[in-house]
Amino acid sequence: MNLRIALVTCVAVATMVLMVSPAPRPVQAAITTVAPTSGWLTQGFGGCAVQSQCHAAVDIAGPNVLPGNPVYAMASGVVVRRVMENGSYGCYLVIDHGDQGTGQNVFSLYSHMGWEDAPDHTAGCYFNVALGQSVTRGQKIGNQGDAGRATGVHLHFGVYVYPGPWSGAHHAFNPTACIGATSTYMALAPGTPCGADTCARAVADWCLFRATPSGRSFVLFGGAKFQFPDSATLSATYPGRPVWTVSDTYANSLPNVPRNGTLLRDESDGRIYVILGGARFHIPDETTLRTVYCPPYPVISCHGKLWHAAIATIPVTPANRTLVRDVSDGGIYVILGGGKFRVPDVATLRNFYCPSFPEGDCYTNLWHAAIVEIPNSPRDGILLRDTSDSRTYVVFGGARFRIPDDTTLKAMYCPTYPQQTCSQNIWHSAITAMSSVPVNDTLLKETGNPAVFAACQGIRWWIPNPTVFSQLGYSWSKVRLLWSGALTPIPVEANTDVTLAPPGDRQCDRMDLDDDNDSFSDAAEMAIHFTNPLLRDTDGDSRLDNADNCPNWSNSGQGLPAWPVAAGDSDCDGFSSVREVSMGTSPSRQCPATPEANDEAIDSWPTDMDDSGTTNDADMLLMERSMNLQSSDLGFNPRFDLNGDGKVNSGDLVLFAPYKNRSCS
């Protein structure tokens, strides 16, 4: 019989002998497939069509931990068996892929997908699909397990072709080439042997192909393609291996991101990486490799090999919503914006990320040291939405800033809102646990305000000019933009560190010597309660004393206040610079510039309400007009809130009293 065989793309069309009775018509049919799981072949096809007579399937093992690697539907179809049996297959599924044009149905069998044996129920099974459910090619249907007659965690996978409906494990074919070599396989008339030199062993890994007409060459690992930069790299990495021809259309349809758990080896240095959420994690030693991912290593190598440049292109930060499990304590983390958030309980895990937990695991194991290395805070600019009240926050310097309204969200961070969701949902306690103060050296700026600030010890320091900004070693590309008023809750100071120590010395680097260039180390100044490690030895005598208390002291006729003066009170008037900025008075002057009252836009002395140069009854009357008001009341004026508690009351009068009838000079 002469048959015309239309070979399908990818590695040598995986043709298969069709064993049916009666003999089928001499026609062909193609069905698009994907690999059912990841791992290594531990037992091959037994060479016969009936399960009871030999091993009429293949075994694909993963790490010997439960649950095992994810299992995917080979092709689209309907689940026609969903069973746990006591012995043999244990937990197993059968998918009917329908009549492929030959009068025959294609079936696929997935066995040992559970963790215990019991008759007539599925409570101990890793099933993600229901009986009668339609599934799509590549859809996750469960996980590898060791239920039934199994000596370890693996998938027993078989392919069968005969007229439906399903009637048992017979009419089997060797599925290795079909799932390991190509994206398609053929159900053909009798007499056509399986293709030689197909990509061997485990689940499509190592397959080499060249796309036409572009001429690009690729290797496949974890279901994803890696393009060779040139023919020399292909020859050097895989000498003598066959390269199969596929179309550019097919090549373009393949993913660029390997499945979770894919192991890859950098040929330049021998390092082995595991892929999680599209990112690479360097496995530190063979013990970790065996324990977490590949028990039979090095007898069986579970990894593919790539050239160094290909490894380098794989990101080091997992994609949003990647779930990883710390094998040391079982804690599950979700990755958002490159930072990790520990999922607090099973209810949160189900509600946000994995509705089918624990039957659907949804996460990948990771060793403890790798978990620790993932930052605790997301990267700058990520948007997080608190699902408890729908409020959206932007993250800068590890701190959360609540975006006031949808207009600001759309204008500054998400131009396509609400058509496109730019934020990541997160539970309420994760938001409240985040800091409201950025880490040191975070650069911040509000729209409409030219001032740039650097975060330092919970305070934002105003950087007075571009020269100082450059001297501090900052980069303008690192300045983070917020809406007007966003920085108000963070106390502010003027940057007094204008005279700098060696280049790169930053005002917030407390470990560095002499931020203020006064020959005293920061540690020494803080230890003996000097005024301020950012203020320097003003008289240049290498000795901090009364003469250095007030570098901005403007009253030459008045003696300096007694030593010591509280840190941060640069004008020595009894109120810190942070407090004065909040009140609206000058942090650098104690006396007004002129003798006339109420003629200056910024008063110089907090207790001198009318800026007359003297604290007296006139100031008391001004203060009394705001008595018993608090920050939430209409008419509240922070100018009269001397102690900064958000209220104008007797506490402020107590601070006012010692200055009454005293002159600033």
Side-chain angles (χ1 to χ4, degrees), residues 25 30 33 49 66 102 138 210 213 264 372 391 406 546 578:
R25 294 185 300 274
T33 68
L66 291 172
T102 64
R210 182 175 291 109
L264 299 170
V372 171
R391 293 175 176 176
D406 289 348
N546 186 277
V578 172

Side-chain angles (χ1 to χ4, degrees), residues 56 185 246 290 314 383 424 652 661:
Y185 76 89
V246 301
R290 288 196 193 102
I314 302 173
L383 301 175
Q424 299 294 324
D652 303 302
N661 297 322

Side-chain angles (χ1 to χ4, degrees), residues 12 242 256 294 383 524 579 594 626 648:
N256 296 311
C294 185
L383 301 175
R579 182 83 280 275
T594 67
S626 293
V648 180

Side-chain angles (χ1 to χ4, degrees), residues 172-484:
F173 296 92
N174 184 348
T176 305
C178 311
I179 61 172
T182 73
S183 69
T184 60
Y185 76 89
M186 306 290 287
L188 300 175
T192 306
C194 289
D197 291 326
T198 57
C199 290
R201 298 211 312 154
V203 213
D205 284 356
W206 304 84
C207 180
L208 305 179
F209 55 89
R210 182 175 291 109
T212 61
S214 68
R216 297 171 298 159
S217 297
F218 303 88
V219 62
L220 200 66
F221 285 117
K225 64 179 183 292
F226 293 88
Q227 183 175 340
F228 292 97
D230 48 54
S231 57
T233 303
L234 188 157
S235 300
T237 311
Y238 301 104
R241 290 183 62 85
V243 180
W244 309 98
T245 300
V246 301
S247 69
D248 276 314
T249 300
Y250 170 64
N252 293 339
S253 72
L254 291 172
N256 296 311
V257 179
R259 290 186 296 267
N260 285 348
T262 300
L263 299 175
L264 299 170
R265 179 178 184 270
D266 186 335
E267 285 298 277
S268 69
D269 56 17
R271 292 187 173 188
I272 297 175
Y273 297 81
V274 63
I275 304 300
L276 298 177
R280 70 181 192 269
F281 291 84
H282 170 224
I283 300 177
D285 49 58
E286 288 190 6
T287 300
T288 304
L289 177 62
R290 288 196 193 102
T291 303
V292 183
Y293 301 110
C294 185
Y297 182 86
V299 177
I300 297 177
S301 296
C302 310
H303 56 77
K305 62 179 180 179
L306 286 177
W307 57 104
H308 179 70
I311 291 287
T313 61
I314 302 173
V316 295
T317 302
N320 285 336
R321 299 175 63 86
T322 298
L323 294 174
V324 294
R325 176 181 174 271
D326 187 334
V327 294
S328 69
D329 61 12
I332 297 176
Y333 297 80
V334 61
I335 308 301
L336 298 175
K340 67 177 183 284
F341 294 84
R342 181 160 182 159
V343 182
D345 48 55
V346 171
T348 303
L349 180 62
R350 288 192 182 122
N351 290 340
F352 282 81
Y353 307 110
C354 189
S356 57
F357 181 85
E359 286 190 7
D361 59 279
C362 307
Y363 57 78
T364 304
N365 288 329
L366 199 60
W367 62 98
H368 180 69
I371 293 280
V372 171
E373 289 178 1
I374 301 173
N376 293 317
S377 299
R379 61 177 172 269
D380 284 357
I382 188 172
L383 301 175
L384 299 176
R385 178 180 173 272
D386 186 337
T387 56
S388 68
D389 57 17
S390 298
R391 293 175 176 176
T392 303
Y393 298 77
V394 63
V395 177
F396 289 125
R400 54 181 166 87
F401 294 86
R402 181 189 160 195
I403 300 174
D405 49 59
D406 289 348
T407 301
T408 304
L409 173 62
K410 183 178 177 70
M412 298 191 67
Y413 305 110
C414 186
T416 57
Y417 179 85
Q419 284 76 19
Q420 177 180 330
T421 302
C422 306
S423 59
Q424 299 294 324
N425 288 340
I426 197 167
W427 58 98
H428 180 68
S429 61
I431 285 285
T432 57
M434 294 184 68
S435 174
S436 59
V437 179
V439 298
N440 292 348
D441 288 321
T442 302
L443 300 175
L444 302 166
K445 180 184 181 299
E446 293 180 351
T447 57
N449 186 345
V452 177
F453 301 88
C456 173
Q457 304 294 326
I459 297 174
R460 55 185 167 106
W461 293 79
W462 172 58
I463 303 173
N465 55 61
T467 300
V468 173
F469 184 95
S470 177
Q471 288 175 317
L472 290 170
Y474 292 128
S475 167
W476 293 104
S477 66
K478 299 294 185 181
V479 177
R480 306 309 183 197
L481 191 64
L482 290 158
W483 55 95
S484 179

Side-chain angles (χ1 to χ4, degrees), residues 557-577:
Q558 180 187 2
L560 287 166
W563 182 272
V565 172
D569 185 9
S570 60
D571 58 2
C572 300
D573 63 4
F575 297 87
S576 72
S577 299

Side-chain angles (χ1 to χ4, degrees), residues 21 24 26 98 219 278 354-355 446 495 501 528 611:
S21 181
V219 62
C354 189
E446 293 180 351
N495 178 13
I528 56 178
D611 205 47

